[in-house]
Amino acid sequence: MSGNQIFRLPAGGCVDRTQPVSFTFEGRQLSGYAGDTLASALLANGVRLVGRSFKYHRPRGILGSGAEEPNALVQTGEGAHSTPNVRATEIQLFEGLIASPVNCWPSSRFDVGALNDRFSRFLAAGFYYKTFMWPNWHLFEGFIRKAAGLGRPSNQPDPDRYESRYHHCDVLIVGSGPAGIAAARAAAAGGARVVLAEQAALPGGSLVGSAALVGGREGGAWAADEISELRARDDVRVLTRTAALGYHDHNALTLVEECGGAPHAGDPSSRPRLRTWHVRAKRVILATGAIERPLVFCGNDRPGVMLAGAVRHYIERFAVRPGKRMVLFTNNDEAYRAALAFADTGGQVAAVVDVRRVVSEDLRSALRDRAIELVAGGTVTETSGRHALKAVRVSGGQTQNRWMDTDLLAMSGGYNPDVHLFSQSGGRLRFDEALAAFVPAQSVQAEISVGMAAGETTLAGALAQGHAAGVDAALAAGFPAEVAAPQCGAERTPAPLEPCWRVPGKGKAFVDFQNDVTDADIELAQRENFVSVEHLKRYTTLGMAPDQGKTSNVNALAIMASLTGRSVGETGTTRFRFPFVPAALGSFAGLDRGDLFRPLRRMPAHECHVRAGATFEEYGGWLRPAYYAAPGETAFDAEQREAAAVRAAAGLFEGSPLGKIEVKGSDAGAFLDLVYANSMSTLKVNKVRYGLMLNEEGVIIDDGVAVRLADDHFLVSTTSTGAERIAAWMEEWLQCEWPHLDVIIAPVTTAWGVLTITGPSAREILLALGTDIDLAPANFPHMSFAAGTIGGLPVRLMRVSFTGEVSFEISVPAGRTGILWDMLMDKGQKAGLVPVGIDAWMVLRTEKGYMHVGVDTDGTSTASDVGWGHVLKKKNEFIGKRSMLRARDRAKDRLQFVGFAVEAGEPPLPVGAHAAGRDGSEGHVTSSCHSPVLGKGVALGLLKGGRARAGERLVFQTPGGARHAIVCEPAAFDPGGEKLNG
């Protein structure tokens, strides 16, 4: 033994005794070894009390040794690194670890909340549905919400790093016990790509520390050698400390790997804390093992009551004997191994209490050799002790109701195959009477369960099943496997277990340890007719804790079955849900946090805007210049100056985020006629046409221009926010509704940078820069297209306008956008060219009365509402046409797109101001600004029956009081289009 590790065995285990580790638990400085878990180190130091139960605040100790642990939830770390509700059985010990129990105050030994246990008669199942309804739930809500939960998350930003990876493989094997390793070696032998995922830090499962012979070697040595060989293969990936959280459709599984890269456990710059794997496999082999079942009897939750398999696990894997004197309470042969291992390492076994009256002679002989008393046909009916187990009451054998002094009670009611992932996959279960457990019955995905996960209780059977599954999986993936199946030594045939679902007695007998659900709660649920498994679960909260009832579900179902006169199979079970074990929320976010939560795109000429002094804002996921403020200018001053400069000379605006979609094929024109409300097939080559896109309801979802590059080739432009959405929408219609059309859709938004030069001097600046395109108005009128060069750069040039001025939209290869920007600004400086931001751009289009989809329209606006009723004359069908023909879509009182004029000198109407009518709002302002060229406010909006109300004077309700405006045409600037066509 070492230091204060009074329960550490002098030899054995898989810990490194040359690397002592110091850690702190509840303020106490303790020690362990590298390779320990927090649970094994606590047991080695004699720590029995590790926390309090959720509802009754009863003292609780370590029950299990892995993911099934319901009691030993702790808070680890401090400050930003504080993590609540982590299972001590799965925390790898490291230097400086700080942990504390949860759900207790001021300490685990003296917890004020323990008063709940004294008033437990008032806190039975469903008490929260009844007790707090009168006189008003809200009187109790604050207290209840404060009491809910266990640990407390940190309120500081999480400093740890998380990653996500996507992976494909031929065979994914979950679990590295004997069946999992046999499957992996068989599948890998033929060259299949294999992923072997193991939740524990050390692969091998039940073979670790086992004396069973496999392949002529001790099981642990065989497992270690096989894992080493698998790691050495390029086509095999072995992931340890990796939990399979979920089994989803199409053989997709979510795994979370604990990388140990948290700052308190290593260098955060080199490794993430957790890595989430999204794995899609051709075949899945579930070798997840089994979970030992507790026994239900009075006082079964005291610290010092443990699962028998966990006792053996701590002895064999960690060289920790978790007690001095033990009693074993069981109904099966497997549990005897814990008593024998305890005795063989120097511990005293007071008795083995077996509910079966008939026990095989070889087990009786083994107990006699170690002077261990056997109480056949007996039960443990009660326990005593406050913060640790002191004694148990045994009924049966030679003496009835005998108290035995002991500090450790190992219990085992049999094993439940770990079917959580199988159930998530959609597989169906059946109840196996011999095992007294649910086992996989029918798979619905390309999956097979092997070993204990399939109900196979022998080592030879597990190895054979795993090997056969690995061979079949490899063959299914096209890889013939040629390797001999592993063989094991002779095994004894276990005697059948005798189900023991609960032991009658007075006092609390716990079924769900984590949520404090007792057998009495199940009886209450039955009396109140909550007999459906789903009702039982929700009424009692059984199986709803973070452990998802891993140790409680089958016992609970069996108790309900006995109360209702049904079999356990007839009672049924719930479908287990994702995730299999709790996972840090950061593992789901991965790198998508902070600035990367919603990464902002930067335009190709971003650095040019930075040099020009731009103030950036987010627009549809893009970081774009809002304005370019000169020294001393406000945002409003900059907006007005830029807009005025465009009207007087010229402005340069980057519109690279505008959607650009190439549509090519012999049916391209016919396809666009279907997706646009107006016709595009009649468009001539090198001509441009504006169009609207509608959904099936006839509602406007996007607008933009389309240019015909060739007879079978179009370039479609969309709004910035519609770039990806419209491309996907068009592809969906093509593939689902019109697959017969000869059309290819190619989104090319990011391939091209777009610069728009607009204003009276725009043509002059382009000519000064040099171009081989004839820009004369007669040869290159509004809504024309040409390909050529400008300043020596290859470009696509469109004459389209969003400002009402002569405008040239220049598309240039994205990597050369900045070069063209600098050349245009250099040549245009003398002509008064200024950079223009989004704010001024919105002023210019509002002056011109151009509609902005999503701003000047809403989720009900149709083409008719914005003055496009003429599209109904179009002979062919298009998306949304039939909806536009409905009476409600042709009603005269619909909200229609109009302009609002205010008197000169008055401030602009505020956006959102509503026009008052006798029946409430008549409409509202959607866009509004001060026009520097007109010297007054201009506004656009939606008004009931608006197009028939030109000249009507409206009253608008604003925060500053009532305002007046006249209904007018949307275009306040250059309504005749003389400037646009100049």
Side-chain angles (χ1 to χ4, degrees):
M1 303 180 190
S2 175
N4 59 356
Q5 299 181 49
I6 58 175
F7 289 93
R8 179 78 69 180
L9 297 174
C14 300
V15 294
D16 187 348
R17 299 170 190 265
T18 66
Q19 294 187 47
V21 176
S22 297
F23 68 100
T24 302
F25 181 75
E26 201 173 10
R28 296 173 57 190
Q29 192 73 27
L30 303 171
S31 65
Y33 291 122
D36 265 323
T37 62
L38 176 60
S40 66
L42 289 173
L43 290 172
N45 285 271
V47 177
R48 297 301 181 88
L49 179 62
V50 297
R52 294 279 179 156
S53 67
F54 172 59
K55 185 164 66 171
Y56 299 134
H57 287 253
R58 289 169 64 93
R60 288 286 168 85
I62 295 168
L63 179 76
S65 59
E68 79 283 357
E69 174 57 45
N71 294 336
L73 301 181
V74 299
Q75 186 105 12
T76 62
E78 294 180 316
H81 295 296
S82 181
T83 304
N85 305 332
V86 187
R87 294 173 300 281
T89 53
E90 297 194 319
I91 300 172
Q92 294 300 305
L93 201 64
F94 59 85
E95 186 66 34
L97 169 66
I98 298 174
S100 58
V102 300
N103 202 45
C104 54
W105 183 85
S107 70
S108 60
R109 296 190 69 81
F110 179 77
D111 178 21
V112 173
L115 287 172
N116 285 6
D117 199 25
R118 295 182 178 272
F119 296 97
S120 59
R121 60 178 297 184
F122 302 107
L123 303 175
F127 75 95
Y128 30 80
Y129 296 124
K130 308 168 185 175
T131 309
F132 304 111
M133 293 298 102
W134 183 91
N136 190 317
W137 151 256
H138 297 291
L139 295 176
F140 311 98
E141 183 179 9
F143 169 77
I144 292 174
R145 293 196 183 281
K146 186 176 181 180
L150 296 174
R152 292 291 179 263
S154 171
N155 58 7
Q156 301 178 32
D158 187 352
D160 297 336
R161 187 163 66 88
Y162 305 88
E163 286 184 355
S164 294
R165 293 192 62 176
Y166 293 85
H167 190 71
H168 291 77
C169 62
D170 297 312
V171 186
L172 170 62
I173 302 163
V174 181
S176 70
I181 294 177
R185 67 192 290 273
R193 295 170 300 162
V194 176
V195 172
L196 177 61
E198 169 56 52
Q199 189 163 339
L202 189 64
S206 62
L207 293 176
V208 177
S210 171
L213 296 179
V214 181
R217 290 163 286 172
E218 284 194 352
W222 177 83
D225 292 343
E226 292 294 340
I227 290 294
S228 295
E229 291 183 15
L230 289 169
R231 289 185 191 274
R233 301 183 66 102
D234 293 336
D235 48 11
V236 175
R237 187 184 296 272
V238 178
L239 300 173
T240 56
R241 298 177 67 184
T242 301
L245 300 186
Y247 196 138
H248 317 291
D249 291 340
H250 309 294
N251 262 26
L253 283 85
T254 302
L255 317 176
V256 171
E257 178 187 10
E258 197 172 328
C259 305
H264 53 266
D267 180 4
S269 64
S270 61
R271 290 182 296 176
R273 175 185 171 192
L274 298 172
R275 180 181 293 116
T276 300
W277 292 81
H278 305 275
V279 181
R280 193 177 297 277
K282 293 180 180 178
R283 291 289 187 275
V284 174
I285 299 174
L286 297 179
T288 48
I291 297 172
E292 194 166 16
R293 207 164 44 229
L295 290 165
V296 180
F297 55 92
C298 296
N300 62 342
D301 67 325
R302 296 192 193 280
V305 179
M306 298 178 64
L307 295 173
V311 171
R312 184 165 60 87
H313 179 87
Y314 287 114
I315 292 173
E316 295 178 349
R317 183 166 292 198
F318 301 106
V320 173
R321 188 174 60 236
K324 296 178 180 179
R325 179 179 168 87
M326 182 182 95
V327 171
L328 172 66
F329 179 26
T330 186
N331 65 349
N332 62 86
D333 286 3
E334 178 67 19
Y336 280 69
R337 296 174 62 186
L340 300 181
F342 193 89
D344 290 344
T345 54
Q348 182 182 0
V349 180
V352 171
V353 182
D354 195 327
V355 301
R356 301 173 298 180
R357 295 188 178 277
V358 178
V359 178
S360 61
E361 181 56 35
D362 60 332
L363 291 180
R364 289 177 178 270
S365 176
L367 296 183
R368 285 195 298 268
D369 291 345
R370 295 166 176 81
I372 299 173
E373 178 186 355
L374 172 64
V375 181
T379 57
V380 172
T381 60
E382 192 178 351
T383 67
S384 68
R386 185 179 180 188
H387 294 145
L389 181 68
K390 299 297 184 183
V392 299
R393 185 195 293 268
V394 176
S395 176
Q398 300 298 319
T399 305
Q400 296 292 324
N401 296 324
R402 176 171 42 137
W403 281 97
M404 292 185 179
D405 292 336
T406 181
D407 63 348
L408 175 65
L409 173 62
M411 60 177 173
S412 176
Y415 285 83
N416 298 323
D418 192 344
V419 295
H420 288 65
L421 292 176
F422 175 81
S423 181
Q424 287 182 22
S425 75
R428 297 180 181 178
L429 302 172
R430 66 175 178 85
F431 189 75
D432 188 302
E433 296 292 345
L435 287 176
F438 286 93
V439 297
Q442 181 180 350
S443 298
V444 299
Q445 298 198 47
E447 167 277 336
I448 186 171
S449 297
V450 295
M452 277 297 294
E456 175 54 59
T457 59
T458 67
L459 176 58
L463 292 170
Q465 280 189 359
H467 178 79
V471 170
D472 290 344
L475 285 172
F479 299 95
E482 297 180 3
V483 61
Q487 302 297 318
C488 67
E491 299 178 83
R492 63 177 301 275
T493 301
L497 62 78
E498 182 178 317
C500 178
W501 301 120
R502 62 171 172 169
V503 178
K506 296 181 180 180
K508 294 184 179 69
F510 287 88
V511 181
D512 187 319
F513 293 91
Q514 198 161 89
N515 266 357
D516 272 353
V517 180
T518 66
D519 60 344
D521 292 324
I522 299 175
E523 290 177 349
L524 177 62
Q526 186 270 331
R527 289 199 302 272
E528 299 194 357
N529 205 34
F530 291 98
V531 295
S532 161
V533 291
E534 295 293 351
H535 293 164
L536 170 67
K537 175 178 179 178
R538 284 156 181 80
Y539 186 66
T540 64
T541 72
L542 190 142
M544 294 181 66
D547 70 338
Q548 290 197 56
K550 290 180 175 63
T551 57
S552 63
N553 279 343
V554 174
N555 280 336
L557 296 171
I559 293 172
M560 178 57 77
S562 67
L563 293 171
T564 56
R566 297 176 294 175
S567 69
V568 182
E570 290 171 338
T571 303
T573 182
T574 59
R575 179 170 174 173
F576 298 101
R577 291 174 170 82
F578 170 92
F580 171 66
V581 292
L585 293 178
S587 66
F588 298 120
L591 296 175
D592 300 335
R593 51 189 292 201
D595 291 340
L596 296 179
F597 177 71
R598 187 169 180 250
L600 294 177
R601 298 181 178 184
R602 286 168 169 76
M603 298 189 296
H606 179 80
E607 295 304 321
C608 299
H609 304 304
V610 173
R611 292 196 301 270
T615 297
F616 293 94
E617 294 181 9
E618 179 196 352
Y619 298 93
W622 288 84
L623 201 60
R624 304 180 68 175
Y627 54 88
Y628 302 82
E633 276 190 332
T634 65
F636 177 75
D637 294 338
E639 163 203 294
Q640 294 289 295
R641 173 182 54 78
E642 293 168 18
V646 170
R647 299 296 186 210
L652 185 59
F653 174 83
E654 182 174 3
S656 297
L658 290 171
K660 295 171 279 291
I661 306 168
E662 297 202 18
V663 180
K664 189 175 177 62
S666 60
D667 295 320
F671 172 72
L672 292 181
D673 282 350
L674 291 166
V675 298
Y676 274 107
N678 50 320
S679 297
M680 291 297 174
S681 60
T682 58
L683 190 61
K684 295 181 179 180
V685 174
N686 291 337
K687 289 299 179 181
V688 183
R689 183 172 293 165
Y690 175 80
L692 292 179
M693 293 181 179
L694 316 178
N695 64 13
E696 297 95 318
E697 289 291 313
V699 173
I700 300 170
I701 60 172
D702 207 84
D703 69 342
V705 298
V707 57
R708 191 164 201 161
L709 304 177
D711 289 341
D712 63 346
H713 193 183
F714 290 79
L715 175 64
V716 172
S717 178
T718 73
T719 59
S720 300
T721 55
E724 296 178 1
R725 173 173 51 86
I726 295 301
W729 176 76
M730 293 170 67
E731 190 69 57
E732 180 180 4
W733 279 100
L734 177 63
Q735 293 191 27
C736 297
E737 302 298 331
W738 308 305
H740 60 282
L741 295 180
D742 175 28
V743 175
I744 294 175
I745 298 170
V748 294
T749 299
T750 56
W752 296 88
V754 176
L755 298 179
T756 299
I757 185 168
T758 181
S761 301
R763 185 181 290 108
E764 171 192 340
I765 295 170
L766 285 184
L767 292 172
L769 187 58
T771 178
D772 58 1
I773 302 172
D774 186 355
L775 301 182
N779 299 324
F780 198 65
H782 183 56
M783 303 300 276
S784 296
F785 170 87
T789 61
I790 294 177
L793 298 177
V795 300
R796 287 175 167 179
L797 187 66
M798 279 195 287
R799 190 170 164 195
V800 293
S801 180
F802 198 57
T803 66
E805 299 285 349
V806 173
S807 300
F808 299 92
E809 186 177 287
I810 311 166
S811 295
V812 64
R816 300 185 179 185
T817 311
I819 298 172
L820 181 58
W821 175 280
D822 288 338
M823 289 193 298
L824 287 168
M825 290 302 301
D826 181 59
K827 286 295 184 181
Q829 189 173 10
K830 292 182 180 178
L833 180 67
V834 300
V836 179
I838 293 284
D839 289 356
W841 206 246
M842 292 298 105
V843 170
L844 295 166
R845 70 94 188 166
T846 303
E847 290 175 338
K848 184 60 179 173
Y850 285 149
M851 174 186 68
H852 190 185
V853 174
V855 174
D856 299 312
T857 64
D858 60 21
T860 66
S861 301
T862 68
S864 297
D865 297 334
V866 298
W868 273 53
H870 62 274
V871 299
L872 291 174
K873 298 178 182 179
K874 184 177 172 182
K875 293 182 179 180
N876 66 288
E877 286 287 340
F878 59 86
I879 299 170
K881 180 178 180 179
R882 297 181 188 181
S883 296
M884 289 180 62
L885 294 172
R886 294 179 299 188
R888 72 179 190 187
D889 287 341
R890 306 182 74 177
K892 295 182 179 180
D893 63 344
R894 289 180 60 83
L895 290 172
Q896 297 175 344
F897 181 58
V898 296
F900 300 123
V902 299
E903 296 293 332
E906 288 193 15
L909 291 170
V911 172
H914 282 260
R918 286 180 299 179
D919 298 325
S921 174
E922 291 280 290
H924 58 279
V925 177
T926 57
S927 297
S928 182
C929 68
H930 179 268
S931 169
V933 67
L934 300 176
K936 64 177 183 178
V938 295
L940 305 172
L942 295 173
L943 183 67
K944 290 182 178 179
R947 287 198 305 279
R949 299 171 67 174
E952 184 177 336
R953 191 168 186 262
L954 302 176
V955 178
F956 286 86
Q957 298 297 335
T958 73
R963 296 281 306 281
H964 296 85
I966 304 297
V967 181
C968 62
E969 289 296 320
F973 172 80
D974 189 29
E978 291 83 1
K979 286 183 171 291
L980 180 68
N981 293 297

